[in-house]
C-alpha cells in the first residue's frame, strides 16, 4: 500500500495514512454505506422501551465486538470523537442492566480506548479509523482535519479513570478505573505531544482589530457536525478548549506549557472565545459569512459536550446560554411541528458536494436525538445554578418525545427527519444508534428524578 506507514504498536497493530490509505478507506466506506442503505435486513419489531433497551445493549456491547461504535452503517469504522459526543455515560451504573452487562461495557471501552491511543502513538490522529484486515487500520479525515479527536480519546480515558467514583457495586468499574490509569501512564507522553501539536496549529483571526486564536481560521475543521462546510465555528473551537482543559486535569500536559503557546492562560482563552462568538449577546454558530437573522446564525451543537465547555456557575455564561436557547425555542423552523424535537439548525447549511447529493439535511434541518439530549442536560445545568425551573419542562418534553420516537421507530435513532420520520435518502439510512441509548437514560433520571428503567441485579 503506497502510503505513509507508521510503526506497528506493541500489540502488532499497524496504522496507515496518506493518499493510498484514503482511497482504500473511501472505497470500503462507500461499499458499506451503500450496502447498508439497500441491503439492510429488517429485524423483529419491538416497541416496549425496556425490550428495545435490552436489545440495544446486547448489540452495542456484544462480546463479538472489537470496538465501541454507533451502529450500522457506521459500524465498520471507528470515530474517536464519539466517546465525548455520543457515549460519555456508558459506565453510568443506573444504565447498566446487570453484572455481565457491566463487564462487557468495561472491556469494550478499554479495548476501544487502547486502540485509539495506539493510533496516537503512531501519529494517526484522524477523524476516522477504518479497519482493513487483520491488525491493519487506515486513518482518514472526513471531511477535514479533526478538532475533537483528541477530545474523544480524553473523554474515553476520563470515563474509565473515574468509573469507580460512581456509586456502584459492580467490580468491573474499579477494574476499569485501574486499566484507565495504566493506559494514561503508558500513553500520556504520546497524548501530550498530540495536544501541544494541536495548540501550535491554532491560527490568528482578526476581528475589529482584536486578535483571537482559532483552530479553523482559514479552513474548516471536523467536529461531530462535520458535514457543514463552514469555518470559524464555535463548536470546533469549544472542542479544542475542552481538550486543553481535560489534558491539564488528567495531568497529561501542564497549563504553563499551553500558556506559552497560546499567549495567555486557559481562562482567558475561553473568555476570548465567548467574546468573539457571543458578541451579539448569543452564541453565533459560525463567523464564516453573514447571517440573515439571529435564528439563522445559531445551531443546536452549541451545547458542546458533557461536562465540557459550559460552566453554568458563571452568570455571564448562563446569560449567553439562555439567550441562544431562547432563540432556538422561539423559532418555529427549529423544531418538528407539535413536538420538542429540535433540529440542528433552522436552515440547511453549506454542505460538501457529496452531502448535497446524498444527504442534504443530514446536519441541518434534521433532528438528532443525542444533540437534543445534551440540549436538555445543559438546560438542567442552567436551572440548577440559576435556582429556578426555567427550562425543566422543556427538557422533560425533549426526553419524552425521544422516548416516543424510539418506541415508534423500534430503536434509538441517529436522526429524525424534519417531518418526524426516520431520516433516509436515496443514498443513506440513518443508524439505529444502540450505543447512544445509555446517555438518554442518564439524563432522563436527572430530569425526572427517577430512572426510566430499573434492573433487578
Amino acid at each position: 500500500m503506497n502510503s505513509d506507514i507508521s510503526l506497528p504498536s506493541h500489540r502488532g497493530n499497524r496504522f496507515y495514512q496518506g493518499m493510498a490509505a484514503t482511497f482504500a478507506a473511501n472505497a470500503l466506506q462507500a461499499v458499506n454505506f451503500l450496502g447498508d442503505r439497500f441491503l439492510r435486513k429488517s429485524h423483529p419489531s419491538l416497541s416496549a422501551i425496556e425490550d428495545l433497551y435490552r436489545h440495544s445493549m446486547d448489540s452495542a456491547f456484544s462480546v463479538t465486538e472489537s470496538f465501541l461504535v454507533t451502529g450500522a452503517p457506521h459500524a465498520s469504522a471507528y470515530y474517536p470523537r464519539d466517546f465525548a459526543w455520543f457515549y460519555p455515560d456508558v459506565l453510568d451504573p443506573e444504565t447498566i442492566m446487570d453484572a455481565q452487562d457491566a463487564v462487557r461495557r468495561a472491556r469494550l471501552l478499554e479495548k476501544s480506548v487502547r486502540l485509539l491511543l495506539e493510533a496516537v502513538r503512531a501519529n494517526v490522529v484522524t477523524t476516522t479509523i477504518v479497519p482493513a484486515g487483520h491488525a491493519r487500520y487506515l486513518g482518514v479525515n472526513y471531511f477535514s482535519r479533526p478538532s475533537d479527536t483528541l477530545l474523544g480519546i480524553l473523554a474515553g480515558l476520563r470515563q474509565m479513570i473515574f468509573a469507580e467514583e460512581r456509586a456502584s457495586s459492580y467490580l468491573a468499574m474499579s477494574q476499569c478505573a485501574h486499566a484507565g490509569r495504566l493506559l494514561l501512564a503508558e500513553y500520556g507522553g504520546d497524548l501530550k505531544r498530540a495536544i501541544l501539536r494541536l495548540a501550535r496549529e491554532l491560527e490568528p483571526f482578526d476581528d475589529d482589530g482584536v486578535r483571537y486564536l482559532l483552530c479553523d481560521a482559514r479552513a474548516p475543521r471536523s467536529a461531530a457536525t462535520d458535514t457543514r462546510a463552514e469555518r470559524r465555528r464555535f463548536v470546533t473551537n469549544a472542542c479544542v478548549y475542552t481538550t486543553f482543559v481535560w489534558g491539564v486535569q488528567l495531568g497529561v500536559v501542564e497549563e504553563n506549557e499551553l500558556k506559552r503557546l497560546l499567549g495567555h492562560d486557559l481562562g482567558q482563552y475561553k473568555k476570548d472565545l465567548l467574546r468573539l462568538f457571543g458578541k451579539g449577546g448569543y452564541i453565533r454558530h459560525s463567523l464564516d459569512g453573514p447571517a440573515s437573522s439571529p435564528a439563522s446564525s445559531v445551531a443546536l451543537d452549541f451545547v458542546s459536550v458533557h461536562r465540557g465547555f459550559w460552566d453554568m456557575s458563571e452568570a455571564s455564561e448562563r446569560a449567553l446560554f439562555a439567550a441562544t436557547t431562547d432563540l432556538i425555542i422561539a423559532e418555529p423552523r427549529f423544531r418538528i411541528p407539535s413536538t420538542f424535537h429540535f433540529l440542528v439548525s433552522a436552515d440547511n447549511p453549506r454542505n460538501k458536494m457529496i452531502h448535497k447529493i446524498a444527504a442534504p439535511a443530514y446536519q441541518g434541518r434534521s433532528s438528532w436525538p443525542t444533540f437534543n439530549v445534551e440540549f436538555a442536560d445543559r438546560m438542567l445545568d442552567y436551572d440548577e445554578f440559576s435556582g429556578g425551573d426555567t427550562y425543566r419542562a422543556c427538557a422533560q418534553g425533549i426526553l419524552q418525545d425521544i422516548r416516543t420516537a424510539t418506541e415508534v421507530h423500534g430503536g434509538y435513532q441517529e436522526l429524525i427527519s424534519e417531518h418526524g420520520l426516520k431520516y433516509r435518502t436515496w443514498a443513506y439510512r440513518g443508524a439505529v444508534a444502540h450505543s447512544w441509548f445509555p446517555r438518554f437514560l442518564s439524563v432522563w433520571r436527572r430530569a425526572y428524578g427517577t430512572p426510566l428503567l430499573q434492573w433487578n441485579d
Side-chain angles (χ1 to χ4, degrees):
M1 193 177 296
N2 183 22
S3 59
D4 302 324
I5 302 176
S6 72
L7 294 175
S9 75
H10 75 281
R11 294 172 64 87
N13 293 323
R14 282 189 174 272
F15 298 87
Y16 302 81
Q17 60 182 339
M19 292 183 62
T22 297
F23 178 83
N26 288 342
L28 289 170
Q29 286 294 83
V31 169
N32 177 63
F33 271 74
L34 290 175
D36 177 83
R37 171 62 182 86
F38 295 107
L39 301 177
R40 185 190 300 182
K41 296 179 180 179
S42 59
H43 296 282
S45 178
L46 303 172
S47 60
I49 195 74
E50 181 173 349
D51 293 339
L52 289 166
Y53 187 75
R54 286 188 178 278
H55 173 71
S56 288
M57 296 307 95
D58 289 343
S59 298
F61 302 103
S62 168
V63 293
T64 62
E65 293 290 342
S66 59
F67 200 89
L68 183 56
V69 295
T70 291
H74 307 280
S76 68
Y78 307 151
Y79 301 86
R81 62 175 174 241
D82 289 3
F83 291 83
W85 279 98
F86 302 137
Y87 26 83
D89 262 346
V90 297
L91 297 185
D92 179 356
E94 289 197 2
T95 74
I96 295 174
M97 299 183 294
D98 51 38
Q100 183 182 27
D101 186 26
V103 169
R104 292 186 309 177
R105 295 191 195 197
R107 287 179 176 173
L108 190 57
L109 182 61
E110 179 188 354
K111 288 168 64 176
S112 303
V113 173
R114 179 179 291 278
L115 183 62
L116 294 178
L117 289 169
E118 289 178 15
V120 172
R121 174 165 290 178
N123 198 29
V124 178
V125 181
T126 54
T127 69
T128 313
I129 296 174
V130 180
H134 179 68
R136 294 172 181 266
Y137 300 93
L138 310 175
V140 60
N141 286 322
Y142 297 127
F143 292 87
S144 51
R145 291 187 302 148
S147 66
D148 54 357
T149 285
L150 292 174
L151 178 73
I153 296 170
L154 290 173
L157 264 178
R158 281 165 52 90
Q159 188 168 181
M160 292 179 66
I161 291 170
F162 299 140
E164 63 185 354
E165 295 184 6
R166 297 177 182 264
S168 171
S169 60
Y170 297 123
L171 177 62
M173 297 298 103
S174 60
Q175 293 173 334
C176 190
H178 179 66
R181 290 190 290 269
L182 292 178
L183 287 175
L184 180 60
E186 183 176 357
Y187 292 97
D190 305 295
L191 280 172
K192 177 178 179 176
R193 285 189 291 274
I195 290 171
L196 293 177
R197 187 182 306 118
L198 177 63
R200 295 188 189 98
E201 291 174 353
L202 300 184
E203 300 173 329
F205 173 70
D206 182 85
D207 183 74
D208 292 335
V210 181
R211 181 179 179 272
Y212 299 90
L213 287 176
L214 301 180
C215 72
D216 55 353
R218 290 187 294 178
R221 292 288 288 257
S222 175
T225 44
D226 60 357
T227 68
R228 302 176 71 103
E230 300 153 322
R231 301 170 297 167
R232 304 162 194 163
R233 297 172 64 200
F234 172 76
V235 66
T236 53
N237 290 282
C239 285
V240 170
Y241 163 80
T242 307
T243 300
F244 295 157
V245 170
W246 286 356
V248 171
Q249 290 175 351
L250 286 175
V252 172
V253 62
E254 296 292 332
E255 183 169 359
N256 284 337
E257 296 176 284
L258 292 168
K259 184 176 180 179
R260 286 195 292 270
L261 295 173
L262 301 176
H264 43 65
D265 61 30
L266 292 179
Q268 185 60 49
Y269 174 49
K270 181 178 183 179
K271 289 178 181 177
D272 287 348
L273 293 178
L274 289 172
R275 183 185 304 114
L276 177 63
F277 289 96
K279 65 181 180 179
Y282 59 90
I283 295 297
R284 185 172 168 182
H285 167 69
S286 171
L287 307 179
D288 191 7
S292 59
S293 68
S296 295
S297 66
V298 298
L300 197 63
D301 61 6
F302 89 97
V303 296
S304 196
V305 294
H306 176 50
R307 295 179 182 172
F309 185 86
W310 289 98
D311 179 4
M312 295 297 178
S313 67
E314 291 287 338
S316 58
E317 292 193 36
R318 287 201 306 273
L320 280 173
F321 174 84
T324 313
T325 295
D326 291 346
L327 279 173
I328 291 172
I329 292 174
E331 173 54 63
R333 293 181 301 138
F334 242 111
R335 70 170 83 183
I336 298 172
S338 303
T339 74
F340 285 91
H341 291 301
F342 291 94
L343 308 180
V344 178
S345 57
D347 306 296
N348 284 331
R350 292 202 311 273
N351 283 337
K352 301 287 186 180
M353 183 56 67
I354 186 174
H355 300 105
K356 289 180 181 179
I357 296 171
Y362 182 65
Q363 288 172 346
R365 289 194 55 78
S366 60
S367 176
W368 288 60
T370 189
F371 290 152
N372 276 266
V373 165
E374 296 308 319
F375 193 27
D377 198 44
R378 294 304 89 72
M379 289 178 177
L380 298 172
D381 287 339
Y382 179 94
D383 283 358
E384 177 182 333
F385 284 99
S386 66
D389 279 325
T390 304
Y391 296 117
R392 180 169 296 274
C394 185
Q396 290 176 336
I398 287 171
L399 298 169
Q400 185 59 60
D401 279 352
I402 292 173
R403 174 185 178 171
T404 299
T406 300
E407 293 174 325
V408 168
H409 297 309
Y412 194 88
Q413 300 299 302
E414 178 194 19
L415 70 167
I416 301 169
S417 78
E418 63 181 306
H419 305 295
L421 305 174
K422 289 184 179 182
Y423 183 83
R424 58 189 298 168
T425 69
W426 69 270
Y428 181 76
R429 273 174 86 177
V432 177
H434 297 307
S435 54
W436 301 3
F437 214 156
R439 177 65 178 148
F440 167 73
L441 260 62
S442 296
V443 179
W444 179 285
R445 171 68 172 83
R446 185 183 184 194
Y448 285 94
T450 185
L452 175 60
L453 301 174
Q454 299 194 40
W455 317 107
N456 294 325
D457 192 276

